[in-house]
Amino acid sequence: MDSGLITLFLPIALAIVMAGLGLELTIKDFARVSKHPKAVLIALFCQLILLVGIAFLICKILALPPLLAVGLMLLAASPGGSTANLFSYLYKGDIALNITLTAINALIAAVFLPIIVNFSILHFMHEGQQVGLQFAKVLQVFAIILVPVCIGMLIRHYAPHAAEKLNRPVRIFAVVFLLIIILGAIIKERNNLIEYIGQIGFATALFCAISLCIGYFVPRLFGISSYQARACAFEIGIHNSTLAMTIALTIMASTTIAMPAAVYSIFMYIFATIFGMLITRFGTQEVIEA
């Protein structure tokens, strides 16, 4: 993938995707936290603390190469993807809770993600291998997450009919964009692809499965209904790999760091579908008012 294309096209394309996320959000989505604070707090604890800790353990136990370890940590720190709302709808989860978590995660990730990535760089990288995420780059991360989301929300607020018309095309664009950057990363690293899959394939599959399980079973342990736990599972289990890959390819200028998110994207939808079918078949069916 041409470096000029990466630096120009990817940030613009990601901005469109993140604006699309904003098209689905309103201020009410943030205010809804007060309605179900327990579910929100447990989900955020799972995503921000448990999953990041588990990703770190996976990196250490499997002795991942430094750049791939940073890539897995970047993926773990990335917020849930908007596709979580679709899976929640298909498998009878609390979509309103999904949207609320997505809104809060977009805000938190702008600050939390650079902290985790910088920690990972300091911990895993050796001297002479630094791939810095300095203050200027932290501001870039902040900008590509929050600014487009805010623009999308403003469109939704002031031009709701336009937001409705834009929603579907932007969703399609998001899927196509994800496929393009996965393909571009794979083509660029095609000579090392088999080695990368061998090194990171099991780690990403394990991380994906654990994310979904933690997202569902931890809330259930704390008395959260199956209806809301499903929403938590998909929000926590479906990470924004598009965001992770774009940060890796543009701000961090490393295709290798992007590989965990690329490989994860292959497992993510398959695992989420299987998980959704299992909890629909074997899980309880109680529903509470959103």
Side-chain angles (χ1 to χ4, degrees):
M1 191 180 290
D2 181 72
S3 59
L5 182 66
I6 289 174
T7 54
L8 178 65
F9 172 71
L10 291 192
I12 293 172
L14 180 65
I16 294 171
V17 173
M18 297 304 288
L21 175 62
L23 291 174
E24 300 179 16
L25 302 177
T26 67
I27 296 298
K28 289 180 182 177
D29 298 322
F30 295 90
R32 200 185 289 119
V33 177
S34 60
K35 201 168 185 180
H36 301 298
K38 185 178 177 182
V40 171
L41 289 173
I42 290 171
L44 291 176
F45 173 77
C46 289
Q47 187 154 18
L48 302 176
I49 307 299
L50 284 184
L51 279 194
V52 170
I54 284 167
F56 181 77
L57 287 175
I58 289 173
C59 293
K60 299 296 283 185
I61 292 169
L62 298 182
L64 295 181
L67 287 171
L68 294 179
V70 172
L72 187 63
M73 294 298 290
L74 167 62
L75 177 66
S78 298
S82 58
T83 315
N85 301 343
L86 174 61
F87 274 91
S88 200
Y89 170 76
L90 291 174
Y91 296 109
K92 300 178 175 63
D94 185 346
I95 300 171
L97 176 60
N98 263 120
I99 294 171
T100 300
L101 288 170
T102 300
I104 296 169
N105 274 327
L107 292 178
I108 294 175
V111 177
F112 182 75
L113 189 148
I115 292 171
I116 295 302
V117 172
N118 272 328
F119 163 78
S120 304
I121 290 167
L122 289 172
H123 183 84
F124 291 110
M125 304 293 282
H126 304 302
E127 288 295 327
Q129 281 189 302
Q130 293 298 323
V131 183
L133 198 59
Q134 296 88 15
F135 183 69
K137 294 184 178 182
V138 169
L139 290 180
Q140 281 182 262
V141 173
F142 192 84
I144 65 173
I145 293 175
L146 278 192
V147 174
V149 170
C150 291
I151 290 171
M153 289 181 68
L154 287 171
I155 294 171
R156 168 77 180 266
H157 181 75
Y158 290 106
H161 294 298
E164 220 171 282
K165 289 180 181 179
L166 287 170
N167 204 299
R168 182 176 172 79
V170 171
R171 276 181 173 271
I172 294 170
F173 176 82
V175 174
V176 174
F177 175 50
L178 175 61
L179 292 175
I180 288 171
I181 59 174
I182 290 173
L183 185 61
I186 287 173
I187 289 171
K188 184 169 183 182
E189 294 292 334
R190 60 189 177 278
N191 296 329
N192 303 314
L193 189 59
I194 301 301
E195 183 183 354
Y196 285 151
I197 290 175
Q199 291 173 329
I200 201 68
F202 176 69
T204 52
L206 184 63
F207 178 71
C208 186
I210 290 174
S211 296
L212 288 163
C213 290
I214 282 179
Y216 182 77
F217 291 109
V218 171
R220 292 294 284 152
L221 283 173
F222 283 90
I224 301 300
S225 71
S226 175
Y227 177 58
Q228 290 190 320
R230 293 172 194 216
C232 294
F234 292 122
E235 187 68 30
I236 292 165
I238 299 177
H239 289 262
N240 195 333
S241 52
T242 307
L243 175 64
M245 290 185 69
T246 304
I247 289 172
L249 291 169
T250 57
I251 296 175
M252 303 181 79
S254 173
T255 312
T256 305
I257 291 176
M259 290 311 296
V263 176
Y264 170 85
S265 298
I266 298 168
F267 294 115
M268 179 172 66
Y269 297 117
I270 298 170
F271 281 31
T273 300
I274 294 170
F275 188 81
M277 291 170 66
L278 288 173
I279 59 175
T280 298
R281 182 169 180 179
F282 299 109
T284 54
Q285 297 292 327
E286 79 270 23
V287 175
I288 64 172
E289 186 180 344

